[in-house]
Amino acid sequence: MHTQRMAVSVSVLALLTLAACGTESGSGSGSGDGSDTVQSDVPVTGVAWSVDSLTVGGKKTEAPAGSRLEIDPKGRAKAGFGCNHISADARVEGDRITFGKPVSTQMACDETTEKAEKAALAAMDGEVTAKLSGEKLTLTTEGGDTIALSEEKPAGLVGTRWAVNTLLSGETATSVPADLPKERVPHLTFGKDGTVHGNSGCNSFHGKAAVKGSTIDFGPPAGTRKMCPEAEMEVERAVLAALDGPATYTIKGSTLTVTSKDGKGIGATATPAESEGTQEHG
């Protein structure tokens, strides 16, 4: 695979980032060999980006609600469209991002999600140019394919209805099956009074959830005791294992990650309250 160098388009935000970092030369005089010119990386890492649309081969695909992409400071890009997890190595140099060969889990998804995932896999392969304009980011490949993104603002932990879409076990992440009945998709809501309630995949539940800093101490949950098909019960067991005792949490944009001390955890996305009348409002 060959790479190409593209024109540098440095945004205002990139310039502000460069100014904040500063340079080692305080005299303002260069050495004459260009070494005083600093090419700032476009600040895309460590930011939660919401994927708005993907255009591949001239065909624009609107991204499903909750679609996101993030490049962590260690150089790993992760994307999700509500079904499979896509990941790739990512190196940021100036306004260029070079993606390694992307890999994806192999869950069966609905047609809309599959189209978005295929477009993302095509665009996240090789070198792209990153152009930042305010809170909007556009990634463009050599062939003109694009990913349009917007910076996500962190959702509030309390009062938000969190729909669980990922089950975590150590370094392993598994998607919640996309074909679960709508009423069985696990979700949880934290109340202002230190409680949590929701559905764990089969049964509804409620319990204590004391939040302090970046930790949540979950009390033993109480709830209904219905039996469901094994796929739903398996999801429920994984969700309840993550909501047991002390755990840490992070919120990036509209995504919540909760991880217990034994490595069990969940990933969830902020969603509309819909008909859940007991939702707490912040």
Side-chain angles (χ1 to χ4, degrees):
M1 185 182 300
H2 69 276
T3 59
Q4 64 288 332
R5 302 188 67 84
M6 299 184 179
V8 177
S9 175
V10 182
S11 68
V12 173
L13 183 54
L15 291 174
L16 290 174
T17 302
L18 175 58
C21 294
T23 61
E24 292 185 2
S25 173
S27 65
S29 61
S31 61
D33 61 0
S35 60
D36 59 322
T37 301
V38 179
Q39 183 182 24
S40 174
D41 289 343
V42 175
V44 298
T45 59
V47 179
W49 298 101
S50 174
V51 181
D52 301 325
S53 64
L54 306 100
T55 302
V56 175
K59 296 182 179 180
K60 183 177 180 179
T61 301
E62 296 296 330
S67 301
R68 65 191 306 275
L69 179 146
E70 183 177 355
I71 302 175
D72 66 31
K74 296 181 180 179
R76 190 71 179 170
K78 296 180 181 179
F81 298 85
C83 185
N84 285 295
H85 298 276
I86 300 171
S87 62
D89 291 329
R91 185 175 71 253
V92 181
E93 294 177 309
D95 73 335
R96 298 184 308 281
I97 303 173
T98 303
F99 291 105
K101 190 69 177 178
V103 296
S104 174
T105 54
Q106 300 296 317
M107 297 281 291
C109 313
D110 61 85
E111 184 177 354
T112 300
T113 302
E114 283 187 358
K115 286 178 62 179
E117 289 181 349
K118 287 179 180 178
L121 287 168
M124 290 174 60
D125 189 2
E127 189 175 88
V128 302
T129 298
K131 184 176 181 180
L132 193 61
S133 178
E135 297 178 350
K136 298 289 185 178
L137 173 67
T138 303
L139 305 181
T140 306
T141 68
E142 179 187 25
D145 297 338
T146 61
I147 304 177
L149 311 102
S150 301
E151 183 178 351
E152 291 185 348
K153 299 301 182 184
L157 176 68
V158 174
T160 299
R161 185 181 190 274
W162 297 102
V164 179
N165 51 32
T166 306
L167 306 174
L168 307 173
S169 180
E171 296 296 318
T172 302
T174 305
S175 297
V176 170
D179 57 355
L180 285 181
K182 185 176 180 180
E183 68 276 9
R184 299 284 170 77
V185 175
H187 61 85
L188 60 155
T189 302
F190 294 90
K192 296 178 181 178
D193 57 353
T195 61
V196 62
H197 68 273
N199 187 289
S200 49
C202 175
N203 290 282
S204 59
F205 74 94
H206 63 274
K208 297 292 185 182
V211 180
K212 184 177 181 180
S214 61
T215 65
I216 306 173
D217 192 2
F218 292 98
T224 56
R225 296 181 177 275
K226 296 182 296 184
M227 294 298 295
C228 298
E230 179 56 27
E232 296 162 29
M233 297 301 296
E234 186 175 346
V235 169
E236 176 164 280
R237 286 190 289 269
V239 170
L240 292 178
L243 308 181
D244 183 17
T248 58
Y249 80 94
T250 59
I251 297 176
K252 293 183 178 180
S254 61
T255 299
L256 167 71
T257 302
V258 178
T259 309
S260 65
K261 60 183 179 181
D262 63 358
K264 303 294 184 182
I266 56 170
T269 301
T271 60
E274 297 179 341
S275 61
E276 187 170 46
T278 55
Q279 164 119 354
E280 294 282 341
H281 296 280

